[in-house]
Amino acid sequence: GESVGLHLPTLSVQEGDNSIINCAYSNSASDYFIWYKQESGKGPQFIIDIRSNMDKRQGQRVTVLLNKTVKHLSLQIAATQPGDSAVYFCAENIDDYKLSFGAGTTVTVRA
Amino acid sequence: DADVTQTPRNRITKTGKRIMLECSQTKGHDRMYWYRQDPGLGLRLIYYSFDVKDINKGEISDGYSVSRQAQAKFSLSLESAIPNQTALYFCATSAPPSNEQFFGPGTRLTVL
């Protein structure tokens, strides 16, 4: 079956360094992707999105890259801060406004 | 004030009991969703509703039912809870043409 998945379940980053979180997807028909951040005890929160007609999109301290050739999505966080510690999910729009979520990557920021 | 609220936030129940989880939203969105989150599995869609008269099964609807009482309210029921329904449950909303979904704070359900 087709699914969205993250390469690594955990990532430990030194405060101030850049973080890169990866996601592989297999549905070549997906036209929209979202990154969510989930802090402990809270629901997922939108970080940034990208449509399939784009390769890159930048937000505040975050950049999403989309490589449709290899069906790969990444989230880059610049100058990682303690408040960035959370679980990060990628999601793809699979059909009629339904999202399919990956398993998540837990990011831990070391002081 | 939170735009998407869920009640209760935590619930412990016993096998065989009927449980209802409630979701309310003040965002004015037509579309509402119920997800289940298990460790290592991400979020899986249980049911979704695109308006008050529309109910659709998601990928894991067995053992669950829903009711869309109003545009702002979408409840999830477990008719006879079983231990493998122990999980975090999230409600979400969205409004076309955006695909973005807005999530509630979640309900932690434990079935003993």
Side-chain angles (χ1 to χ4, degrees):
Chain A
E2 296 177 320
S3 64
V4 175
L6 285 161
H7 289 308
L8 295 172
T10 62
L11 178 67
S12 181
V13 182
Q14 184 70 40
E15 182 178 356
D17 287 352
N18 296 335
S19 303
I20 300 177
I21 306 165
N22 295 304
C23 179
Y25 67 94
S26 57
N27 186 346
S28 57
S30 295
D31 61 357
Y32 178 76
F33 303 87
I34 304 180
W35 280 99
Y36 281 93
K37 173 185 180 182
Q38 185 179 20
E39 296 175 278
S40 180
K42 296 183 179 180
Q45 292 181 294
F46 173 91
I47 302 174
I48 192 168
D49 59 2
I50 188 167
R51 296 210 169 270
S52 59
N53 60 354
M54 302 172 70
D55 297 323
K56 179 180 179 179
R57 190 160 189 227
Q58 289 184 291
Q60 187 176 9
R61 280 202 308 119
V62 294
T63 301
V64 56
L65 299 177
L66 177 63
N67 185 331
K68 295 179 286 295
T69 302
V70 295
K71 299 191 187 74
H72 183 268
L73 192 69
S74 69
L75 177 70
Q76 300 178 4
I77 305 173
T80 310
Q81 302 169 359
D84 294 327
S85 290
V87 180
Y88 291 81
F89 294 95
C90 62
E92 62 177 328
N93 177 47
I94 54 173
D95 177 42
D96 197 15
Y97 300 100
K98 295 197 299 291
L99 297 177
S100 175
F101 288 82
T105 291
T106 300
V107 173
T108 303
V109 181
R110 305 188 306 271
Chain B
D1 289 338
D3 295 319
V4 184
T5 57
Q6 293 182 235
T7 57
R9 294 295 313 278
N10 289 281
R11 182 73 183 269
I12 300 173
T13 190
K14 295 182 179 180
T15 297
K17 294 291 187 181
R18 184 178 187 274
I19 297 297
M20 179 180 285
L21 309 183
E22 301 196 17
C23 177
S24 294
Q25 52 115 347
T26 58
K27 300 185 76 66
H29 290 172
D30 285 329
R31 300 187 172 197
M32 298 187 74
Y33 309 79
W34 273 106
Y35 289 91
R36 167 179 173 157
Q37 185 177 36
D38 297 278
L41 292 179
L43 291 117
R44 292 182 292 167
L45 184 63
I46 307 173
Y47 269 97
Y48 62 102
S49 169
F50 283 175
D51 64 41
V52 175
K53 297 175 183 171
D54 177 76
I55 299 288
N56 304 281
K57 293 183 177 180
E59 60 182 298
I60 54 163
S61 59
D62 288 348
Y64 301 95
S65 63
V66 291
S67 175
R68 185 80 184 267
Q69 302 95 322
Q71 186 205 40
K73 296 184 182 297
F74 192 36
S75 60
L76 175 72
S77 294
L78 288 68
E79 296 301 325
S80 179
I82 56 177
N84 76 1
Q85 290 177 313
T86 294
L88 267 172
Y89 290 86
F90 288 100
C91 173
T93 73
S94 72
S98 172
N99 298 82
E100 181 183 351
Q101 293 183 16
F102 298 83
F103 286 82
T107 293
R108 183 173 295 279
L109 177 66
T110 302
V111 184
L112 302 176

